[in-house]
Each structure stands twice: as structure tokens, then as C-alpha cells.
Amino acid sequence: MSIEDELQSTIDDLVQEGKGILAADESQPTIAKRFAQYGIESTPESRRAYRSLLFSTPGMEDSISGVILYEETLLQRDDRDRLIPEMLSARHVVPGIKVDRGTVALANSPGDKITEGLDGLAGRLDAYKAQGARFAKWREVYAIGERNPSPLALEANAETLARYAAICQEAGLVPIVEPEVLIDGDHDMKRCFEATESVLHAVFHALCRHGVVLEHMLLKPSMVLPGKNHPQKAAPGQVAEATIRVLRRTVPAAVPSINFLSGGQGPEEATANLNAMNAMLSDPPWAISFSYGRALQQPALAAWAGRSENGGEMQKRFLERARLNGLARRGEYAREMENE
Ligand code: 13P
């Protein structure tokens, strides 16, 4: 198969009506933090047990087309001794891999960050691909502050994302390009709108400079929301209206799918906001879907609490969120479904 055909077939498998992506690629410090909330110790075995249970949820494949894994998980086995990427592929769920190495402060730009991990990336991608990964994810983060994100941060982060995406496509892995405007702060929605517009504008300019094929990538943005500490919450209709407006201004129609991150929204909130966007547009230029981490996993993790006897309940909770987000992907979700 040519590289182009390979990328296209991964896109076809990932972008499907009523389906989205599960982000289960928490780094070691992040998963330790999530586990600690429920008194679970984070060890290679507890992480394996949790993720193995989660990924073997019966029926997950009806709403989940792909799973983003962390490096460690690529080599772990499920409870039936199958390698996790192989087990996912056998269920027609595409395995992907987080390939960035996390963020550091951006020098000479107080309050801004930059993501590391480009050195040696091509070599790592070949290894991940041999282990079954067909797509990749890289996240840049932008905090909103009085002077942030700065023009330098916009440019440097966009350049990094574009270099990553170009390297992925050369290796035959579909890149998920994730610029996350953080929810932290007391800014209003307008400020988030402006920051998101500048970020996406810079990202697509850089993708173009680097020759990234837009048809063979996915965008994973944050929604336009008021800051976490802003006194007013926004209704799903407002979030949908502002988010679609900014995406229309900045994301070319050649991009096949936009898969949002949840970024600190509650599970129901993330589902309702996604639903509002799909309900609003009958024929959007791109698919509008999800690539949620916390919003898909939080209720499941709480139900599991590290005990094998809770496995059934955990899978039930996970399947419920996956199913409701699958409906939101079609604009067919309603709040009343939460209590059914
Ligand atoms: P959240 O949905 O929890 O924001 O996670 C998505 C993700 O992959 C962040 O990089």
C-alpha cells in the first residue's frame, strides 16, 4: 500500500458516523493524579488492569473508532494475554499513540509553554508503527493571560505542531494536531474566542508551510468556553455558536474531522456541547466529533476504584458515556437520556 493509501484508510477507519476517539494516553504523572482521586496506587500493573478492562468493554466499538495509547500501553497485554494494540485492532478499533514528551516553559516568553519531543521522532514513529499504532497525537498548550499567548508562543507552538504532523505523514501515521487553549482562569468567552482564533490561524498557516496534507490529519481543538473561574457558565447553544464561528474562520474544509478534547468540562457538559454543534449544523464542512479523555473515563474510573469486583460496573459507566457521545456526534443526544 502507498503511504497515501495507508493514511486514507486510517482516516476512513477513524472518521465514522456516530463514532469518536477515546484518549487514554495519560502520561505517568497524569494517570497517577487521576488514580489518586480514588485512592488507587499507580503502578504498571494497576495501569494495565484499568486500561485492559476499559478497552475490553463489550459494545465500545459501536461508538469508539480509535484509542490513543501511552507508550507503556503499546507493550502491555490484556487479561486474556493479548497485546493491547492487537486486541483493539481485532475489534476494529484503531490504536494510536501519544508521541509528544510534554511541555516546558517557553524561553523569553513568561507564561507560555512549548512542547518537546521532535528530536528522534521519525525513529520512534517507526517503532510505534511496528507495534501497531496507525495514528499519533501531539498536544501544544496555551494559557490565557493578560499577555498570553504571546505572538512568539503562537508562532513557536504552531511551527512545532506542523513539524510533528509532517514527520507523521512521512512515516504513514495520521497526525492528530492538538492545540489546547486552557480553560484555567477567569477570562470571558470573548477572550477565549480571540485566543482560539489566533492559535488556529497560526497552526493552519504553519501546516501549509510544512506541506502537511490536510485531508490526512485530524484537528483536536478545545471549545470556546468562559474560563473555569469566570462567574458565568455558558449554555451549550452559546458554546456551539462561538466554537463553530471560530472554526469556520480558521479550519479549511479539507480537514476531514474535528475531534474535540474535553479539557476540564464535566462529562455531561462535554456531551451536551458536542451535541449542540451537531444539532446546529445539518451539513458541516468537517465531521464534528470527540477525542475525550476525562469526559469519557471519569465516571468509569470512579466506579472501578481499583477493585476487580467493580469491573462490570466500570464498563457499564464507560459504555454509557461512549454511547451518549456517539449520539451527540449525530446531534441526537438529549439531557433526559442521562437518567435512563
Ligand atoms: P481531556 O478530554 O481530558 O482534555 O483529554 C484529552 C487529551 O487527549 C488531552 O491531551
Side-chain angles (χ1 to χ4, degrees):
M1 220 195 305
S2 71
I3 294 265
E4 285 72 28
D5 289 347
E6 192 174 20
L7 293 170
Q8 188 58 51
S9 97
T10 302
I11 290 284
D12 293 342
D13 290 343
L14 285 174
V15 184
Q16 295 186 53
E17 186 65 27
K19 295 191 191 184
I21 295 170
L22 164 66
D25 59 331
E26 299 83 0
S27 63
Q28 309 305 32
T30 303
I31 191 89
K33 204 163 71 183
R34 307 263 188 273
F35 274 12
Q37 283 177 291
Y38 305 103
I40 309 161
E41 196 192 342
S42 179
T43 64
E45 174 50 25
S46 67
R47 295 189 292 269
R48 187 208 64 78
Y50 169 67
R51 287 167 168 156
S52 161
L53 256 173
L54 193 69
F55 304 157
S56 51
T57 300
M60 167 184 92
E61 62 280 8
D62 295 339
S63 320
I64 302 290
S65 58
V67 177
I68 314 172
L69 303 170
Y70 187 68
E71 210 170 8
E72 174 190 64
T73 320
L74 274 182
L75 296 171
Q76 287 185 322
R77 290 174 179 271
D78 72 357
D79 292 338
R80 289 169 54 192
D81 204 31
R82 295 168 303 186
L83 279 164
I84 285 184
E86 285 175 14
M87 170 267 242
L88 289 169
S89 298
R91 299 179 62 195
H92 305 288
V93 175
V94 186
I97 175 77
K98 168 196 174 77
V99 302
D100 66 68
R101 299 280 203 208
T103 59
V104 293
L106 178 62
N108 296 326
S109 196
D112 289 316
K113 292 191 160 169
I114 187 85
T115 302
E116 296 190 315
L118 286 174
D119 285 355
L121 179 59
R124 282 199 288 134
L125 293 183
D126 289 341
Y128 297 145
K129 200 176 174 192
Q131 291 160 359
R134 294 173 57 200
F135 69 99
K137 185 198 96 169
W138 181 291
R139 171 174 176 259
E140 299 286 328
V141 302
Y142 306 83
I144 294 184
E146 216 171 300
R147 292 199 166 77
N148 308 96
S150 69
L152 175 65
L154 294 176
E155 187 149 336
N157 281 281
E159 188 70 11
T160 306
L161 267 176
R163 283 194 59 201
Y164 140 79
I167 295 168
C168 283
Q169 289 188 339
E170 212 166 62
L173 279 93
V174 165
I176 296 189
V177 170
E178 180 180 7
E180 175 174 5
V181 177
L182 295 174
I183 197 172
D184 306 293
D186 60 2
H187 54 271
D188 60 12
M189 251 177 113
K190 183 163 170 286
R191 186 75 188 83
C192 180
F193 183 100
E194 289 162 359
T196 307
E197 184 173 12
S198 308
V199 163
L200 291 175
H201 184 82
V203 166
F204 280 95
H205 188 57
L207 290 169
C208 173
R209 276 201 307 275
H210 284 261
V212 172
V213 179
L214 300 183
E215 288 83 351
H216 291 159
M217 61 159 272
L218 301 178
L219 179 69
K220 175 165 175 166
S222 39
M223 296 183 195
V224 176
L225 300 163
K228 198 165 64 184
N229 301 326
H230 188 75
Q232 263 168 331
K233 279 224 154 219
Q238 294 172 293
V239 175
E241 200 273 328
T243 305
I244 294 296
R245 182 188 290 260
V246 84
L247 294 173
R248 275 200 161 132
R249 286 186 182 180
T250 51
V251 185
V255 174
S257 182
I258 295 175
N259 292 63
F260 288 98
L261 57 97
S262 59
Q265 299 178 65
E268 293 184 22
E269 185 186 359
T271 308
N273 288 339
L274 176 67
N275 185 69
M277 285 186 247
N278 280 302
M280 206 172 90
L281 298 182
S282 56
D283 189 21
W286 351 260
I288 301 173
S289 186
F290 58 90
S291 172
Y292 293 159
R294 281 162 286 180
L296 277 169
Q297 294 185 58
Q298 198 176 297
L301 185 56
W304 181 55
R307 292 162 202 252
S308 56
E309 64 269 29
N310 296 338
E313 185 60 25
M314 167 197 169
Q315 292 187 333
K316 206 174 109 191
R317 300 282 184 94
F318 170 55
L319 188 65
E320 184 65 357
R321 289 261 55 90
R323 195 179 68 81
L324 293 173
N325 282 301
L327 287 169
R329 158 83 163 84
R330 301 173 187 267
E332 292 172 1
Y333 160 86
R335 274 278 154 106
E336 303 80 73
M337 295 172 178
E338 293 290 347
N339 307 317
E340 272 166 17

